[in-house]
Amino acid sequence: MLELMDLSCGYGSMQVVKHLDLAVDKGSVTAILGANGAGKSSLIMSLAGQVDIFSGSIFYRGEEITKSSPMERVRKGIALVPEGRRLFKSLTVKENLVVGGYTTDKDQAGQSMENVISIFPRLGERLNQKSGSLSGGEQQMLAIGRALMADPKLLMIDELSLGLMPKAVDTCYKAIEALNKEGLTILLVEQSTQRALAVSQSILVLESGNTVWQGSASEARKSSEMIDAILGLHDSEK
Ligand SMILES: Nc1ncnc2c1ncn2[C@@H]1O[C@H](COP(=O)(O)OP(=O)(O)OP(=O)(O)O)[C@@H](O)[C@H]1O
Ligand SMILES: [Mg+2]
């Protein structure tokens, strides 16, 4: 589905992610872990075309997209749920969803909207509510819903659980698991090692932009103490 070869990206003259190799299988969930500032957001934003790529290449479904524009990548089926959600807070739930569907035609947008509402019925009940007045959990549902409006094949989510109550996290994860069962490939940045291990098949751990651990989730479970040590986590923070 996605192959990154020797990928480096960053800002201006500052290289943030360094020489990363990663293969993401179709239909899989891959989690990216790492301490604050490790380069997780920069990496997935570079895949969305929003951070400069310095060297290396990105192949998506067999096609090189290293130089494709953000819009072209959305059209090809790559959607990003950004860290902090970045909703249009003065717009309603429905208007935010419509914006998410701008790359598709009207029929597809209508179908996607129905799909989003069936995944998150809570959004369907609040279509005319300003998104700024939604709860944190509802805002995350809307951010995911907005990304789904583009009818993606690869969904990238930055910090799914950050700042949410456990119940809202459960709702979002249930949706992610259901979407994955339907065939959506998912790339997830997650603060919680336990959540990442529960939902993913593959794990990538970054430290200062370097890959310090990479492997299957089952191997990661055996190495979870090592991964927590890399992340600087203590028992109470897992
Ligand atoms: N727009 C920017 N301009 C310059 N440097 C940036 C920019 N955004 C991020 N950086 C730097 O890139 C590095 C990696 O940041 P990034 O946000 O990718 O990390 P992260 O792993 O997502 O961290 P967090 O867990 O806090 O979200 C940091 O040193 C950060 O200061
Ligand atoms: Mg980040």
Side-chain angles (χ1 to χ4, degrees), residues 3-216:
E3 187 162 19
L4 316 182
M5 293 157 83
D6 200 24
L7 189 78
S8 299
C9 67
Y11 309 89
S13 59
M14 189 177 77
Q15 187 166 314
V16 170
V17 172
K18 297 152 193 162
H19 304 288
L20 181 83
D21 292 308
L22 176 70
V24 174
D25 291 336
K26 188 164 183 269
S28 66
V29 181
T30 300
I32 303 168
L33 298 169
N36 293 129
K40 308 177 297 293
S41 297
S42 304
L43 170 60
I44 63 171
M45 284 166 72
S46 78
L47 303 181
Q50 297 174 13
V51 162
D52 286 346
I53 291 162
F54 292 176
S55 60
S57 43
I58 307 171
F59 285 85
Y60 167 72
R61 303 174 87 204
E63 180 193 359
E64 182 160 14
I65 58 155
T66 319
K67 294 194 168 80
S68 303
S69 70
M71 177 97 108
E72 280 170 331
R73 296 182 203 211
V74 175
R75 285 220 168 89
K76 288 178 198 293
I78 302 176
L80 172 67
V81 179
E83 187 173 349
R85 300 164 204 136
R86 294 201 223 134
L87 296 171
F88 302 104
K89 297 216 166 132
S90 61
L91 299 185
T92 65
V93 168
K94 189 173 180 182
E95 287 163 343
N96 270 276
L97 292 175
V98 168
V99 172
Y102 75 106
T103 54
T104 66
D105 62 35
K106 223 176 163 188
D107 286 350
Q108 178 62 53
Q111 215 175 305
S112 296
M113 178 108 46
E114 278 179 31
N115 184 34
V116 168
I117 292 168
S118 74
I119 296 166
F120 297 118
R122 188 79 74 91
L123 296 180
E125 294 159 13
R126 288 166 168 71
L127 284 176
N128 297 315
Q129 187 173 328
K130 291 263 195 302
S131 69
S133 64
L134 295 172
S135 72
E138 290 161 355
Q139 291 194 16
Q140 188 63 291
M141 290 176 210
L142 180 54
I144 297 168
R146 184 179 59 181
L148 291 175
M149 286 296 295
D151 192 28
K153 296 179 180 65
L154 172 66
L155 182 65
M156 306 191 292
I157 309 177
D158 199 350
E159 308 286 10
L160 180 62
S161 66
L162 191 67
L164 301 183
M165 301 288 286
K167 213 172 156 189
V169 177
D170 287 342
T171 304
C172 289
Y173 267 104
K174 272 200 188 113
I176 294 309
E177 282 174 277
L179 288 162
N180 178 240
K181 271 206 182 106
E182 285 170 20
L184 190 65
T185 307
I186 294 169
L187 198 52
L188 194 69
V189 168
E190 182 49 82
Q191 288 279 337
S192 158
T193 317
Q194 296 311 313
R195 288 271 180 188
L197 289 178
V199 72
S200 314
Q201 286 90 48
S202 301
I203 305 278
L204 169 74
V205 186
L206 292 180
E207 189 178 48
S208 306
N210 295 301
T211 302
V212 286
W213 199 91
Q214 194 168 13
S216 69

